Amino acid sequence: MKALLQTLMSSNYILEMLAACLLFALPLKKRPWPWLRFGCGAAVSFAVSVLVGRLTPPGIAEAAMVYLVQLVVVVLPIWLSCDVSLEDAVYGTICAYAVQHFSSSLYILLCVGSGATQNIWRLLTPQTLLFYFLAYLPPYLIMYRLVARPLGKTGSYQASLFRAGGVTVLVLPAALFLSLAAKLLGSGNVSFLVCQIYAMLCSVYVLWVQVSQQKEVRLQAEMQVQKALWEKEKEQYQVSRDTIEVINRKCHDLKHQMAALRHCNDRQREESLKEMEQAALIYDAAVQTGNEVLDTVLTEKSLLCEHRQIQWTCMADGRGLAAMNPVDLYALVGNALDNAIEYVQKLPDPNKRVIGVSIFRKDNLTVLQVENYCEEEPQFQDGLPVTTKQDRTAHGFGMKSIRQTAEKYGGSLSVRVEDHVFLLCIVIPALQPPPPESNH
C-alpha cells in the first residue's frame, strides 16, 4: 500500500504529464509569450501537485484524490500558453494523460520482465534508466507525430464540452481502476501484467479513436462548406446566365437601333450613338467556346477583369466539356478564375495584372490552364498552395473544390510556379467526342 501511495504521489508523474501536455500544446495556436506562460503554468502545477501530495494523509481514497488533483492542475499550462478554449485545454490534457499512461505501463512491463521490481520509480539504476528512456522518449515522439499533430492541425482541437467530457469518461475510470488494481495485485501476479498490457491497449485505442473522429469531424465540416459553395455557385450560375442573356439581347437590339439612327444628321445624336456603339461592343466581346456554360462563366469573368483593370486573354474550346454537369463546370472554372483574379488585383503594378486562360483538347483529354503573375512562391501542402488568409478553417476550400470536381470526372489538378508565373492545370478526359470536321 505504501508503494502504491508513493507511486501515485511521486513527482515523476507530474513531470511526465507536463512533458506529455507540452506535446499536445505544440500544434495549437499560441498566445503571446507562449513559452513563458507554459513555464509559469508548469511551475504552478508542479508546486500544487507536490504540496497536495505531502499534505494528504495515506489511504486509497486520499491517493485517488491526489491523483485527480494532479490531473486537473496540469490543464493550466495548455490553457495559459495556447489560444484555445477551456474545453480544448481539457481535451488535450486527457489525451496527454493517455500517452503518459501508455508509457508508464510500458516502463513497468520492461522492469518486471527484467526482474527489477523494487523501487523502480525512485531507485533508478542504469538498467531502469535505460528502460525509462525506451518507455518514454520514443513513444512520446511517435504519439506527437501520429496523434498530437494531426489532432491540432488547424491550431485547435475544436473540442466541445460533450467531446472533452466523453474522452474524460473513457480514459479516467478505466486507467485509474487498472492502475490501482495492478498495484494492489503486486508485480508477481500474472493479473498484474495483464492489467498493464490492457491499460496500454486502452490508451492506444482511445487515442486512435480521437484521431479517427477528428478526421471525420473535419471531413464533415469540409463537406458542409463544399455543399454551401456548390449551392452558392448554382445560384450564381443561374443569375449570371440570365444576366448574360439580357446583355446579349440588349446589345443585339442596340446595334440595330444605332444603325437606324445613323440616318439622322443631328451632330449631338451622332456623338451619343458612338458612345452607345462602344457600350454595345460587349456583345462582340462575349466569349464563344461552343459550350453555353463555359461561355457564361468566361464572359462574366472577362467583364469582371475589365472592370478591375486586369489584362485578360482567353482561347477556349469547350466542346470536350459538354457532358459535365453545368453547375460543376461553372464552379470548376469559376473557382480557378476567382483565385487568379483575387491575387492579381492586389498587385500594385498594372502591367503584372495579367491572367491567361486556355482550354484545348489534346488526344482524348480536355486541358484547362489558368496562368497569372505570382510575386512570391506560395507554400504547398498535399500538392495545393496553403492559404495566406487568417482564418484557415474557412478558406482554402476553393482549390480543394477544384480538385474534387476534377477527380469526380476522372481528371486531375496540378499547381506549380515557374519564373513568377502561377500555373493551374486541370486535365479531364473528354466527355464527348468532338464532332466531325466540316469539309466546307
Side-chain angles (χ1 to χ4, degrees):
M1 186 63 64
K2 184 178 179 180
L4 170 61
L5 297 176
Q6 287 177 343
T7 301
L8 290 176
M9 294 184 289
S10 173
S11 60
N12 292 65
Y13 166 74
I14 192 67
L15 292 175
E16 292 159 8
M17 275 300 302
L18 289 173
C21 287
L22 178 61
L23 298 180
F24 283 86
L26 288 175
L28 302 180
K29 184 179 179 181
K30 305 298 188 298
R31 300 183 191 272
W33 306 97
W35 297 114
L36 178 61
R37 289 172 177 267
F38 190 93
C40 292
V44 172
S45 301
F46 183 81
V48 171
S49 176
V50 173
L51 181 62
V52 171
R54 291 180 178 179
L55 296 179
T56 304
I60 295 295
E62 290 79 2
M65 289 301 298
V66 172
Y67 193 71
L68 292 176
V69 168
Q70 291 175 328
L71 186 59
V72 169
V73 295
V74 292
V75 176
L76 195 60
I78 296 181
W79 192 42
L80 288 178
S81 61
C82 301
D83 189 12
V84 295
S85 64
L86 180 60
E87 289 85 355
D88 267 4
V90 172
Y91 179 83
T93 302
I94 298 301
C95 290
Y97 172 71
V99 173
Q100 185 275 336
H101 195 67
F102 173 88
S103 292
S104 176
S105 298
L106 178 59
Y107 173 64
I108 293 173
L109 284 177
L110 291 174
C111 291
V112 171
S114 67
T117 59
Q118 299 295 325
N119 297 323
I120 60 175
W121 297 105
R122 293 188 178 276
L123 301 178
L124 297 177
T125 65
Q127 185 184 33
T128 56
L129 280 174
L130 175 62
F131 290 154
Y132 195 85
F133 173 84
L134 293 176
Y136 281 87
L137 184 59
Y140 271 39
L141 294 177
I142 293 173
M143 291 298 185
Y144 170 74
R145 178 66 179 83
L146 299 181
V147 180
R149 195 164 70 173
L151 286 177
K153 187 177 181 181
T154 60
S156 70
Y157 295 126
Q158 300 174 340
S160 61
L161 182 62
F162 174 79
R163 190 177 175 202
V167 177
T168 304
V169 171
L170 283 173
V171 175
L172 279 184
L176 185 59
F177 173 78
L178 290 171
S179 295
L180 293 173
K183 301 301 187 299
L184 290 173
L185 288 170
S187 59
N189 196 309
V190 176
S191 300
F192 172 84
L193 299 177
V194 173
C195 286
Q196 299 300 332
I197 295 174
Y198 191 70
M200 293 172 61
L201 294 176
C202 287
S203 299
V204 171
Y205 175 74
V206 168
L207 293 171
W208 175 76
V209 167
Q210 299 313 305
V211 174
S212 300
Q213 187 182 52
Q214 184 77 311
K215 289 181 179 179
E216 183 178 352
V217 169
R218 287 176 183 159
L219 180 60
Q220 289 177 350
E222 289 192 14
M223 292 300 295
Q224 289 177 355
V225 174
Q226 294 284 2
K227 184 178 180 180
L229 288 174
W230 191 87
E231 293 292 340
K232 181 180 177 181
E233 295 289 358
K234 180 180 180 180
E235 180 180 352
Q236 186 177 357
Y237 166 66
Q238 295 295 338
V239 173
S240 299
R241 180 180 178 181
D242 295 341
T243 302
I244 296 299
E245 287 181 356
V246 171
I247 291 176
N248 289 342
R249 186 170 62 252
K250 292 293 184 181
C251 290
H252 186 268
D253 293 343
L254 281 173
K255 291 178 72 175
H256 288 286
Q257 292 173 5
M258 287 186 294
L261 290 172
R262 279 202 177 93
H263 296 288
C264 301
N265 296 322
D266 187 273
R267 181 178 179 181
Q268 185 176 5
R269 182 173 296 176
E270 183 63 28
E271 292 177 356
S272 298
L273 288 172
K274 289 181 180 179
E275 294 178 1
M276 293 172 62
E277 189 174 24
Q278 290 296 323
L281 291 177
I282 294 176
Y283 176 78
D284 294 325
V287 181
Q288 304 293 329
T289 67
N291 185 301
E292 182 182 0
V293 178
L294 205 56
D295 294 348
T296 299
V297 65
L298 290 178
T299 301
E300 176 191 357
K301 301 307 178 184
S302 68
L303 294 174
L304 182 61
C305 286
E306 182 181 355
H307 175 70
R308 297 184 181 180
Q309 298 180 338
I310 298 173
Q311 301 179 48
W312 165 279
T313 60
C314 179
M315 296 180 61
D317 178 2
R319 289 174 294 173
L321 302 173
M324 281 189 69
N325 179 282
V327 177
D328 285 342
L329 178 57
Y330 184 88
L332 179 76
V333 181
N335 276 325
L337 295 177
D338 285 340
N339 289 336
I341 292 172
E342 183 179 4
Y343 180 84
V344 299
Q345 70 180 1
K346 299 177 183 178
L347 297 176
D349 187 355
N351 295 324
K352 296 179 179 178
R353 299 179 197 151
V354 180
I355 296 177
V357 182
S358 58
I359 303 175
F360 56 91
R361 289 178 294 180
K362 184 177 181 181
D363 298 329
N364 197 35
L365 301 173
T366 298
V367 181
L368 164 63
Q369 291 185 348
V370 179
E371 301 178 16
N372 61 271
Y373 181 82
C374 180
E375 288 189 328
E376 297 181 0
E377 185 170 350
Q379 296 181 351
F380 287 85
Q381 182 177 346
D382 193 24
L384 300 179
V386 178
T387 179
T388 57
K389 297 180 180 178
Q390 294 294 327
D391 186 4
R392 297 194 174 188
T393 60
H395 296 288
F397 290 102
M399 283 290 182
K400 294 180 181 179
S401 178
I402 294 171
R403 181 165 65 181
Q404 186 181 51
T405 304
E407 292 176 349
K408 176 181 177 180
Y409 291 90
S412 63
L413 166 68
S414 63
V415 181
R416 66 180 187 272
V417 176
E418 295 180 356
D419 299 327
H420 295 286
V421 176
F422 186 93
L423 176 62
L424 180 148
C425 182
I426 303 169
V427 179
I428 297 178
L431 302 175
Q432 178 174 302
E437 296 291 338
S438 175
N439 296 323
H440 299 287

